[in-house]
Amino acid sequence: RRLNVRVNIELLSISNPVHKKDLAVRLTDDTDPFFLYNLVISEEDFQSLKSQQGLLVDFSAFPQKFIDLLQQCIQEQNKDIPRFLLQLVSSASVLDHTPVSLNIVETNPFKHLTHLSLKFLPGNDAEIKKFLASCLKCLKEDKVMLEEKLRRTEEDLTRQLSYTQQSLSEKSRELDKLKNEWTSYTTALTNKHTQELTNEKERALQAQAQYQQQHEQQKKELENLHQKSIQQLQTRLSELEVINKDLTERRYKGDSTVRELKAKLSGTEDECQRAKQEVLSLRRENTTLDAECHEKEKLINQLQTRVAVLEQEIKDKDQLVVRTKEVLDATQEQKVILEESTEKKQSHIEKLETTIKSLSAELLKANEIIKKLQGDLKTLMSKLKLKNTVTIQQEKLLAEKEERLQKEQRELQETGQSLRMKEQEVCKLQEQLETTVQKLEESKQLLKTNENVITWLNKQLNEIQMAKKLETSASTHGGVRTAISPHGMPDRPSFPSSGIAHPISPLYAFQNFPELAHSKNITSQCPIQFSTQLSKMNRCSDGQTATATSHPANKENGDNLGLESKYFKKKDDSIPLRGLSQNTLNSEYLKPTLSTKAQPSPKAAVTPASAYFPG
């Protein structure tokens, strides 16, 4: 007998009173609940089994090897000649409760090899009851789970049914609207085409009659002229030949334009064929999608009738499309007939080429209108197919994807704007850096020049103090004269780098000249005037003038010390140069302390010096 048996393998660990491990194996049959065999193998039992059957595996690895052998039996069970077999052999009947041996046998053409043989004991009544109780408990749990799943699926199906009914009603309304719009649009187009065709025919007949009358009149005039003089006829012939050449050229041009139009027509026909092929491929895709819809609708029996109605509506739509194609073919045939009539008119009347150009332009317009109609047809077909094929879930997915795309596009735009703003900020910062660097360089140069000026002023102050000391010592020793340069001023070094190139110190201009002005015994010929804004020195002996202007006293860095004009521009980021205070100059250096009389030589000349001091 052949049965499907369930094998349960459990590793039991017992810690009371001694820690040990047991392997419990249970054989059951899903169809027969009273089929129950148990086997418990301890480590001691496994040692005896290992020695009896010659096993090479320890107790810890034995369960996994046993499971591997069972899996091989499961893999080979569906074959005609299985390689591995699981044999359950009982010596007596099942009711005797005798032990049963479970053998794992490998078959080959030579011998049946038993890899493992285990003896199982049949379950008693208590074990069978316990097993049946566990099975019943599992079945109840499964039943509860299945009932919950069934209830959920019913709710989902009812929701889907209601939603699909609503969507079907909406789709049917949209289809009715589209049908009405399409019928009205096609009727309007047909009326327009018929009116345009009738108008063109009437215009062509009128133009033909007019040109025939003109031709007859020209013939009569030519006959009269031919009778009058042969010379005029020859001149007329030459003129007509020239005109004939022009007309032939125009005719060739018209033929070329007609060929180009024919080529464009062939291209449009190819595009129509491609569009038809695309329509066929889309129909095939539609059929495949319909098949998938049928497979899904097998689960919902109530929706089959409505799906059949939808399929009939799709067929009606296809018939409408075929009818529209037939209308297009009829219009194309009418267009071909019109082209043949125009060619006949060209062969009969050569002088009507100007009218042919106008007709060709109108034909181009008609072709453009036909192309627009074809494009509208394609768009309508694509809309109908999309509405039939796209399901509710796909529409939801499309909406979510569109929202994600819009969000990503907004994020991209925001990031692009932020990047642009940051680039602009970087450019502004670079410009500020450049300006700050330039200002730093200028301030460094100003600092250098100010340091030079300060050092020079300190030197001058030291020299003046030394000169004062010498003068005081000379006055005490009895009329010793102060040491002055030949021009009445002590020598000082010039600073070409700082822009100071005057040989006279400005302190002598404030100190020595007042003494000379107030002394009564000096017979100088150069009076000096001091004011708050301008001091002038007029030299009468040599006829030369020297001016020393002093600016307002409350400005710190605007006073000129004989420097260039670029060093006196006030800047916001420059370090102000603190000059000598007014009190020190007035108290120590600008007071006339000498009472000695200095008598300069009559040829002594005062060199001009411009000095600017704060105060």
Side-chain angles (χ1 to χ4, degrees):
R1 180 168 75 146
R2 189 171 182 177
L3 292 173
N4 288 321
V5 180
R6 187 180 295 278
V7 183
N8 294 322
I9 299 165
E10 293 179 0
L11 193 65
L12 304 172
S13 61
I14 299 164
S15 61
N16 191 10
V18 181
H19 182 74
K20 61 179 181 177
K21 290 183 179 180
D22 293 337
L23 184 68
V25 184
R26 185 172 64 190
L27 295 177
T28 57
D29 188 3
D30 294 335
T31 58
D32 188 5
F34 295 100
F35 184 85
L36 179 64
Y37 290 95
N38 295 318
L39 173 64
V40 179
I41 301 170
S42 63
E43 291 183 1
E44 295 172 355
D45 296 335
F46 178 74
Q47 294 298 326
S48 63
L49 189 130
K50 184 178 179 182
S51 61
Q52 285 174 8
Q53 297 187 9
L55 300 176
L56 302 173
V57 182
D58 295 331
F59 182 74
S60 60
F62 175 70
Q64 187 61 42
K65 294 292 182 184
F66 184 46
I67 290 164
D68 293 337
L69 289 170
L70 290 172
Q71 285 178 354
Q72 287 181 358
C73 293
I74 290 163
Q75 290 175 1
E76 298 285 332
Q77 67 181 354
N78 293 321
K79 293 182 180 178
D80 295 331
I81 302 169
R83 187 180 172 190
F84 287 91
L85 292 170
L86 190 67
Q87 290 181 351
L88 187 68
V89 180
S90 63
S91 60
S93 64
V94 178
L95 297 172
D96 294 338
H97 297 286
T98 56
V100 175
S101 63
L102 183 71
N103 300 325
I104 296 171
V105 181
E106 183 181 358
T107 60
N108 56 18
F110 181 69
K111 189 181 178 182
H112 291 279
L113 297 172
T114 56
H115 287 283
L116 185 65
S117 180
L118 301 172
K119 288 184 179 180
F120 285 82
L121 292 172
N124 54 16
D125 292 337
E127 289 175 352
I128 289 167
K129 285 178 183 177
K130 190 177 180 182
F131 173 68
L132 288 170
S134 64
C135 289
L136 202 146
K137 186 180 179 182
C138 292
L139 285 169
K140 284 182 178 179
E141 289 176 354
D142 293 335
K143 184 185 173 185
V144 171
M145 292 290 288
L146 287 168
E147 284 177 352
E148 288 180 356
K149 284 183 182 177
L150 201 146
R151 185 173 56 77
R152 289 174 185 172
T153 50
E154 283 179 355
E155 289 177 355
D156 293 333
L157 287 169
T158 51
R159 286 174 187 171
Q160 289 178 1
L161 222 166
S162 62
Y163 192 73
T164 48
Q165 285 176 357
Q166 291 176 2
S167 64
L168 278 169
S169 62
E170 289 176 357
K171 296 280 183 183
S172 62
R173 289 172 187 171
E174 289 178 357
L175 276 170
D176 293 331
K177 286 179 182 178
L178 286 167
K179 283 178 183 177
N180 294 323
E181 289 176 357
W182 177 248
T183 52
S184 61
Y185 186 67
T186 49
T187 52
L189 284 171
T190 50
N191 292 323
K192 283 181 182 179
H193 282 297
T194 52
Q195 288 177 2
E196 287 176 356
L197 285 168
T198 52
N199 291 324
E200 286 176 359
K201 284 179 182 178
E202 288 175 357
R203 287 174 186 173
L205 290 169
Q206 288 176 2
Q208 188 176 3
Q210 288 177 2
Y211 283 114
Q212 282 179 356
Q213 289 177 1
Q214 289 177 2
H215 186 67
E216 288 175 356
Q217 288 177 2
Q218 286 177 1
K219 276 183 180 179
K220 288 176 182 179
E221 289 175 357
L222 287 168
E223 285 175 356
N224 292 322
L225 292 168
H226 183 70
Q227 289 174 2
K228 286 179 182 178
S229 62
I230 294 165
Q231 291 179 356
Q232 290 178 359
L233 197 147
Q234 287 178 353
T235 55
R236 184 67 179 167
L237 275 170
S238 62
E239 290 175 358
L240 285 168
E241 284 176 356
V242 173
I243 292 163
N244 196 3
K245 286 180 182 178
D246 294 330
L247 288 170
T248 50
E249 288 177 356
R250 289 179 183 175
R251 182 185 174 185
Y252 288 130
K253 287 180 182 177
D255 292 332
S256 64
T257 53
V258 168
R259 286 174 187 171
E260 288 177 356
L261 289 169
K262 284 181 180 178
K264 287 180 181 178
L265 275 170
S266 63
T268 52
E269 286 175 357
D270 292 333
E271 287 179 357
C272 283
Q273 288 178 358
R274 289 175 186 171
K276 287 177 183 178
Q277 289 177 359
E278 288 178 356
V279 166
L280 290 170
S281 64
L282 290 167
R283 281 181 183 172
R284 289 173 185 171
E285 290 178 358
N286 197 357
T287 53
T288 55
L289 290 168
D290 288 329
E292 290 178 359
C293 287
H294 283 300
E295 289 177 359
K296 289 180 181 177
E297 287 167 358
K298 284 177 183 177
L299 300 172
I300 304 164
N301 294 320
Q302 295 177 0
L303 293 172
Q304 287 179 354
T305 56
R306 294 183 181 180
V307 169
V309 171
L310 286 170
E311 287 178 354
Q312 287 177 0
E313 288 178 355
I314 289 160
K315 288 177 182 177
D316 293 331
K317 289 172 190 175
D318 292 328
Q319 289 177 1
L320 285 169
V321 170
V322 171
R323 287 174 186 174
T324 53
K325 285 181 181 177
E326 288 176 357
V327 171
L328 282 169
D329 293 328
T331 53
Q332 286 179 358
E333 287 176 359
Q334 288 178 0
K335 191 173 86 172
V336 171
I337 291 162
L338 285 169
E339 287 176 356
E340 289 176 358
S341 65
T342 51
E343 286 177 357
K344 287 177 182 178
K345 287 175 184 178
Q346 283 177 0
S347 63
H348 287 294
I349 302 161
E350 292 181 353
K351 292 182 180 179
L352 293 173
E353 288 177 354
T354 55
T355 58
I356 287 165
K357 288 181 181 178
S358 64
L359 286 169
S360 64
E362 290 175 355
L363 279 169
L364 284 169
K365 289 179 182 177
N367 286 324
E368 288 176 356
I369 292 161
I370 289 161
K371 285 180 182 177
K372 287 179 182 178
L373 286 169
Q374 288 176 355
D376 294 331
L377 269 172
K378 287 180 182 177
T379 53
L380 287 168
M381 288 293 291
S382 63
K383 285 179 181 177
L384 287 169
K385 287 172 185 176
L386 286 168
K387 285 177 182 177
N388 290 322
T389 54
V390 174
T391 57
I392 298 157
Q393 294 177 357
Q394 288 176 350
E395 286 177 355
K396 288 180 180 178
L397 289 169
L398 282 168
E400 289 175 358
K401 286 179 181 177
E402 284 177 356
E403 287 177 358
R404 287 177 186 173
L405 280 169
Q406 287 176 0
K407 286 179 181 177
E408 288 177 357
Q409 286 177 357
R410 288 173 186 171
E411 288 176 357
L412 279 170
Q413 288 177 359
E414 288 176 358
T415 50
Q417 289 177 0
S418 63
L419 280 169
R420 288 172 187 168
M421 293 290 288
K422 285 178 181 178
E423 286 176 356
Q424 289 177 1
E425 287 177 359
V426 167
C427 293
K428 289 179 181 177
L429 288 168
Q430 285 179 354
E431 290 176 357
Q432 289 179 2
L433 245 174
E434 289 175 356
T435 53
T436 48
V437 168
Q438 289 177 359
K439 288 177 181 178
L440 269 170
E441 289 177 355
E442 290 176 357
S443 62
K444 284 177 182 179
Q445 289 177 0
L446 280 168
L447 279 169
K448 286 179 182 178
T449 52
N450 290 330
E451 285 174 359
N452 291 326
V453 170
I454 288 161
T455 52
W456 178 78
L457 287 169
N458 288 325
K459 285 180 183 178
Q460 289 297 318
L461 286 169
N462 291 326
E463 287 176 0
I464 290 160
Q465 287 176 1
M466 291 296 291
K468 268 191 171 185
K469 286 177 183 178
L470 289 169
E471 285 174 0
T472 53
S473 62
S475 63
T476 53
H477 284 90
V480 179
R481 296 176 69 183
T482 56
I484 321 169
S485 64
H487 298 285
M489 293 289 174
D491 295 329
R492 65 175 179 84
S494 63
F495 294 90
S497 64
S498 62
I500 300 167
H502 302 287
I504 295 172
S505 77
L507 289 172
Y508 274 100
F510 285 97
Q511 185 177 0
N512 293 328
F513 288 124
E515 291 174 0
L516 295 170
H518 290 288
S519 61
K520 295 178 180 180
N521 297 320
I522 292 170
T523 58
S524 175
Q525 295 179 1
C526 297
I528 298 168
Q529 296 178 359
F530 288 90
S531 66
T532 57
Q533 290 183 355
L534 184 66
S535 64
K536 295 182 182 180
M537 293 185 292
N538 294 321
R539 185 177 172 184
C540 299
S541 60
D542 296 326
Q544 297 178 354
T545 61
T547 61
T549 61
S550 64
H551 291 283
N554 291 322
K555 296 180 181 178
E556 286 184 347
N557 290 326
D559 297 334
N560 223 343
L561 292 172
L563 302 173
E564 293 178 2
S565 62
K566 69 179 181 180
Y567 299 112
F568 305 109
K569 291 178 181 177
K570 189 172 181 181
K571 294 181 181 179
D572 296 330
D573 57 347
S574 61
I575 301 165
L577 176 65
R578 303 290 175 181
L580 294 171
S581 64
Q582 188 176 0
N583 295 323
T584 55
L585 288 169
N586 290 328
S587 63
E588 293 181 4
Y589 304 114
L590 296 178
K591 290 179 181 179
T593 56
L594 293 174
S595 60
T596 56
K597 296 179 180 180
Q599 294 179 359
S601 61
K603 292 184 179 180
V606 180
T607 57
S610 62
Y612 294 88
F613 282 87

